[in-house]
Structures are given as C-alpha cells and as structure tokens.
Amino acid sequence: MIQETLTQEKTWQGTAVSSGVAHAVVHVLKEDFDEPDADPISADEVEAELARWHLAMDATHREIEELKEMVSTEQRSAEADIFDTHLLILEDMSIRKQVEKTVRERLICVDAVYYRLMCKHMNALRGLADSYLRERFLDIKDITQRVMRHLRGELLQHPMFEDPVIIVAHDLTPSDTVQLDRSKVLGFAIETGSGNSHAAIIARSLGLPAVVRMHGITEELHSGDPVLLDGDEGLVILNPTPATLTKYRSREQQAEKREDALHETRHQPSVTTDGLAVLVSANAEFVEEMGDIRDSGAANVGLFRTEFLYLEDPEGTEDWLADNYTRAVKVISPGMVTFRTLDIGGDKVDEQLAAEQEPNPFLGWRGIRVSLGKKDMFKRQLRALLRAAAHGPIGIMFPMICDVGEVRAAKELLAECANELSAEGYPPPQQVEIGAMIEIPSAALTADLIATEVDFFSLGTNDLVQYTMAVDRLNERVADLYSPTHPAVLRLIAMTVEAARRAGIRVCICGEMAANVEVLPLLIGLGLDELSVSTGQISRVKHAIRKLNASECRSIIDACRHLGCPKEILGMSSAMANELYPDLFE
C-alpha cells in the first residue's frame, strides 16, 4: 500500500532481506532492457543527439527489412506482414516529431525521451480487451527493444554508473550481478523473491540493504528518481522529506556505533564461554572481496562461489581462471580458500545451457552433474585450481553430491589433472583438501559412506532446506514454508555431523542459516566445527559465539528432539539468543 504526504513523499512496503539504509537515485533494470537515465544535454548537443537516434532508427529499419526479406523468400507471408506493421510503427511521423520536439525543448538525452514515449504507447495497449490491439503492444515492445539496443551498443548491456545508485528490478539473477558495476551499487529493491533468493544472498554478501516483494515498483519508479531504501523495515521511500532523512540519519548513527563496537572485536577468537572454538569464515563471490575478507576477522574463505567468474566469462581460459584463483589464494594465505566447483544449473544458467530447457531445472542437470557431463570444462577448472594451490592452501568441494560415486568420479578427474600438471612442470600444490557439499537429503542420509572419500563436509543449507521441504526458495508463493528449523532439516544436519565425527573429518555450514544469529544456538548445539557467512556478518556471528555456552546449546538440541513444530524450535533458540546477545537484535 502506498502512503502519500503533501510533499509527494511515497512509501512502498516490501520484505526486508538485508539490513541497512541507502539514499541515492534509482537505476531501473527492466525485465527486457534497462530504462535509460534522463541525462541532461546542452543546446549545442541536440543535433548530435538526434543524429545518433536517426542512425539507430535507420539500423533498425535495415534489420527489419532483412528479416522481412528472409521470411518472404520462405513463403511465410503472414510473418512478412508482421514486419510490415513493424516498419509502419518505426516510421510513424507523430512519434518522430514528438521525440525531436521533446529533446529540443527539455534538453534530455534521446534514449530516455524515446523510451518513455514508447512506454506510454505500450501501457495504453497493454490491458485492452481487443486481441488485435493487444498484439500491437507486442509489436511496439519489439520495435522499442531493437531501437534501444542500437542506441546503446553492446557495451551498454552491462550497465556502468558514474554515481552511486539503488538498483530496482523485477528480479536479479547471478548473471545480472556479474554485469553490474558493483562499486557504485548501494542497494537493491526487487519485485519478486524472498529472503533466500539470490538477490537477497548477494546483497547480504556485499553488505548492502535489500528489499524484495516490491510488486509493481519497476513501473512506479524511473531511473534518476531519488529514493531512500530501508533494508531493516523493508521500505522504499520516494522523494524523502528533510524530516524523514533526519530520522534515518539518527537511526544510522546509532547503528554505526553498534557496528563500530563489533568491528573492534572482529579479530578476537570465536570461543564459547565453556571453551569450544568454532571457526567463522567468509563466503565470497568475487576476487575483489578478498581484501575486505582478510580485514573482517574471518578465519578462512569457507565458500568461494566459482560460478560467478564463469558467468563473467564462460569461455575463460585456464590461465585466466588460474590467475583469478591465485589472486584470491595469495590474499588469504596462510588461511585457506575453499572453492566450490561450478554450481551451474537451476537458477544459475548460462546462455548455452539455457538453450536446452528442462521441465524442472532445480531437479535436473546442475552442480556436479554438469561438471561430470562436461569434462573438458571441468578439467579446465580443476587444473586452474591446482595451479592456484601452489601459492597457498585451498579446499575444493563438489556441489550437489547425491552419492559416493560422484565424489569418486570427480576425484579421479582431479588426480588426472594433477598428473598432467606435474608432467608439464608446474609447481606442486601446497595443500589441497577435498570436500563434498551436503545439500541433498540422499547425501545426508549416506554421509557415512561419503565421509570416507573426503577431508571435510560443507552443509549447503539453502538447498538442503528446499529439497527436504519440497519448497522452491525462489518462489514467493511458498517461501513462507521454507523453514531451516524444521525437525527433518535439523535431523539431517545432526546425521551429517555424526558421520563426520566418526570419520574424523571436519564439518562446516556455508548456507544462509549460518549467519542467522537467532538459530546460532542450534548450530552450536549440533556440533558444527565451522560457520561460513557473508563478510558483513563475520563480527556479529563471532560476537554471538563468544556469548554462548556450548553445553547449554546442546541441552536445547536435546529439548527440541521431541518438538514437531519449526516455530517452537525457533522460539527456544531465539529466546536464548535474545537473552545472551540482545544488542544484535536492536
């Protein structure tokens, strides 16, 4: 619901998924193409700006003529007629005159003028009952996309920003994130999603405020609009008044004091009051994060998501990968960087894989299945990782393992790569530990068998919860059923930890559950050796561990064994957390 004041301040309520506050202008990412910023131009630039637009229109005209000619020669007259319609829209003199008039009078770049005019035409047709007129909406949309593509050029498919912005989008995929100039992004407001969507995870990883379930906001806001984003209360405020800004500045100052206090203790060991040491490591997506991670108080990098580098350049060479992996290793050494091999598939699909559609990609070809199916690609990554290991200790863990056979197959390829590199004269790795990700119930149920093949387990609770609960964590209709404290999830974690103990290997948790200080008593009680969280959560999690007593946490686990309701279990854990570190919930 929108609340409006006399000052034209407007507020949208969504779901908060990453804390913090940001104040900046909006950059809207449309589903099909970005809305251009309304950049001002001088009177002297008008003719050059219009000439650039005319070139884009001409290029679009040639493109449509070529398409029309192609289908005409194939005797597809109906499709040729569609392109005739497109040409009529493109040559519409009223549109051309209005664009030129607006650019001359308002001195705004032609990209924004043309885009907004065409959006008005599309919006007028979108909801009409007449099927013929609804089809004209699609025609105008197609023409607009073509012209905008020619106006922007290939480089502008990867938005870069001169000034800080808040991204507003229908959704934000891992590919979108790779393409953004992350140094200028201050936060995200997303129409869809949940607290476990990739937009939320990425925001928390980067320490940025984020709000999801902001339905229809891409139509309400325009690039360049000033907004305040509240990642604590789940609000987006357009045109915030001086009074609103003052209120938020006061709140921000108090939050900064709390963060400063936590920051001062970030390098202190994370040991419970009864002497149990629990490592706290960092999750990472980008090599550029390594410096911040080293300064965050993290013991290691417990999860480096290599698919983000892959999405940046799917054809990246072994040398390019080795260089990037080595940079990460050198910064963290003598600490360990644990690299998750490519977890492509599901909601992280490159264009090549997307061409091969699956009925249910989350239950399809993803994770280790893709790597074992594309052995040349897999070996390129494994060789690059082994080359990086010559510069410091690394972990290599395989995602989406469902049985011990997949681990053995991956290890065979790794051994093959090690032999090749040795024969080619590359220096040997310093230390390589092999791990299996436990994120499918079948892996947890056979953890005792898998444990004999690896040096460590890493619990990927984001997927473990969704596969155990049959809840798509990216589907907002069922997102409320996604429950990390469900007894089935906790039993699978306990089973995994017990199997690791018997085999004498360590067990880490790298899912979002690890950063939730409200459920931290449960994780300590279950006996996790290591928690890997986003960089911005390191000091908070370490502070909470230092307040907990491991024996008391184990007593909560014992008490929860007979509870069947996730909310009851969460309530017991939350009560202990609020009592021992209430400052983290202020």
Side-chain angles (χ1 to χ4, degrees), residues 366-381:
R366 62 168 297 196
I368 193 65
R369 301 166 185 177
V370 175
S371 293
L372 292 176
K374 297 172 73 69
K375 291 185 179 179
D376 289 343
M377 179 187 76
F378 194 25
K379 286 187 64 177
R380 183 166 73 240
Q381 179 176 35

Side-chain angles (χ1 to χ4, degrees), residues 279-283 298-303 508 530-534 538:
L279 286 180
V280 179
S281 299
N283 295 339
N300 301 297
V301 174
L303 167 64
C508 171
E530 182 179 0
L531 308 174
S532 192
V533 302
S534 61
I538 298 289

Side-chain angles (χ1 to χ4, degrees), residues 469-491:
M469 302 293 297
V471 170
D472 178 358
R473 60 191 172 97
L474 305 182
N475 183 343
E476 60 181 291
R477 289 185 175 182
V478 294
D480 290 339
L481 298 175
Y482 182 94
S483 179
T485 58
H486 192 283
V489 175
L490 298 182
R491 289 182 184 186

Side-chain angles (χ1 to χ4, degrees), residues 503-575:
I505 65 174
R506 61 186 174 88
V507 56
C508 171
I509 181 170
C510 61
E512 290 297 299
M513 187 178 179
N516 186 348
V517 293
E518 200 173 13
V519 302
L520 188 57
L522 297 175
L523 300 182
I524 300 301
L526 286 166
L528 277 299
D529 299 301
E530 182 179 0
L531 308 174
S532 192
V533 302
S534 61
T535 308
Q537 299 295 323
I538 298 289
S539 59
R540 290 169 54 84
V541 172
K542 293 182 75 172
H543 172 76
I545 290 172
R546 290 193 288 265
K547 298 291 184 179
L548 290 168
N549 180 288
S551 178
E552 292 177 0
C553 291
R554 285 191 285 271
S555 69
I556 281 193
I557 292 297
D558 290 337
C560 288
R561 292 188 190 280
H562 304 293
L563 296 178
C565 176
K567 288 184 179 179
E568 288 181 313
I569 295 173
L570 176 60
M572 291 188 67
S573 180
S574 180

Side-chain angles (χ1 to χ4, degrees), residues 205 266-267 281-304 331-332 336-337 533-536 538:
S205 174
R266 69 193 185 281
H267 291 299
S281 299
N283 295 339
E285 287 83 25
F286 311 106
V287 177
E288 294 84 357
E289 295 177 75
M290 294 301 112
D292 291 337
I293 288 173
R294 184 182 57 190
D295 186 52
S296 70
N300 301 297
V301 174
L303 167 64
F304 189 103
V331 174
I332 301 301
M336 175 178 286
V337 181
V533 302
S534 61
T535 308
I538 298 289

